[in-house]
Amino acid sequence: MNVLKERILRDGKCLENGILKVDSFINHQMDPVLMKSIAVEFVRRFASTDINKIITIEASGIAPAIMTGYLLELPVVFAKKKKPVTMEGMLTTTVFSFTKQRNYDVCVSSEFLCRGDRVLFIDDFLANGNAAKGIMDLVNQAGAELAGMGFVIEKAFQYGGEYLRKAGMRVESLAVIESLDDCKIKLKD
Ligand code: 5GP
């Protein structure tokens, strides 16, 4: 997706430890026009996939997920990082955060993720795949099915993509970073 790749090269910044900062257009300030193009591309790629719901994890996955849900006219559920006292039938799992280097719990209500659902997981980044594994766990607990996963940016030098594809998961990434070595962003063609 050229418009996204150009934006990453223009405005993305490399941090230490293999982290790409995209907070001027995705993670803090958001560009809704770019976000719409991202959603259009997800819709194109998953056009033939039978889904009835989109799932993501708060907070950064919500923007691309809601745009995609808007275009597909499907509900969007986000896994929450804080357990609301009012939540009924809570499903929980533990996710290791790559950026914060610690575990956190995420939860979703079985009212909104349940048997018979065919869900598409959308997130901003794919690194080691821990968020994706957490979603797989929640979907399994719910007795639902995961029909695919879409990431705005995949970092191919980490192992999430390889793991998920080997596990038979349909994974679509709109921009793939080959390396951030020497603080240079190298994109896959
Ligand atoms: P994973 O669970 O695949 O290891 O990491 C994905 C999650 O960590 C994403 O939801 C994203 O929030 C965060 N993340 C991983 N790598 C990066 C990165 O390079 N930059 C930013 N901004 N977030 C990242």
Side-chain angles (χ1 to χ4, degrees):
M1 198 189 152
N2 284 337
V3 64
L4 173 63
K5 290 179 183 174
E6 283 161 17
R7 191 64 179 270
I8 291 169
L9 291 175
R10 197 184 80 196
D11 294 334
K13 293 186 178 68
C14 295
L15 301 185
E16 282 173 14
N17 309 325
I19 293 181
L20 178 68
K21 203 171 174 202
V22 288
D23 62 352
S24 65
F25 57 104
I26 293 179
N27 285 144
H28 190 12
Q29 174 171 266
M30 289 185 272
D31 178 342
V33 176
L34 177 70
M35 213 50 95
K36 183 190 164 201
S37 305
I38 285 168
V40 166
E41 184 61 20
F42 279 138
V43 169
R44 193 182 71 75
R45 293 191 189 203
F46 288 103
S48 57
T49 309
D50 177 23
I51 48 173
N52 70 324
K53 194 167 278 186
I54 293 172
I55 192 160
T56 188
I57 298 188
E58 67 174 340
S60 303
I62 293 177
I66 193 82
M67 281 282 189
T68 308
Y70 173 74
L71 294 179
L72 291 171
E73 298 187 10
L74 291 177
V76 177
V77 179
F78 63 95
K80 292 183 172 234
K81 289 181 177 164
K82 281 203 181 116
K83 294 178 183 171
V85 282
T86 53
M87 190 185 278
E88 285 169 13
M90 194 192 291
L91 308 171
T92 61
T93 195
T94 303
V95 172
F96 180 77
S97 165
F98 171 71
T99 44
K100 298 194 175 84
Q101 291 288 307
R102 64 168 170 81
N103 281 327
Y104 62 96
D105 289 338
V106 291
C107 62
V108 68
S109 166
S110 56
E111 195 182 343
F112 305 122
L113 181 64
C114 42
R115 189 169 297 280
D117 278 337
R118 288 187 51 82
V119 299
L120 171 65
F121 173 51
I122 296 281
D123 205 4
D124 58 342
F125 274 90
L126 172 60
N128 290 318
N130 290 308
K133 286 179 201 169
I135 289 296
M136 285 166 105
D137 185 26
L138 290 175
V139 169
N140 278 338
Q141 288 181 45
E145 268 180 72
L146 205 46
M149 297 189 167
F151 299 93
V152 179
I153 301 172
E154 173 176 346
K155 294 188 294 177
F157 57 90
Q158 291 178 275
Y159 302 106
E162 199 184 324
Y163 171 87
L164 295 172
R165 290 182 181 101
K166 272 194 182 151
M169 186 53 59
R170 163 106 190 266
V171 177
E172 294 285 342
S173 303
L174 306 189
V176 179
I177 312 282
E178 243 170 38
S179 107
L180 296 174
D181 291 350
D182 304 320
C183 266
K184 284 197 192 81
I185 303 170
K186 195 167 167 225
L187 288 166
K188 200 172 160 193
D189 290 334

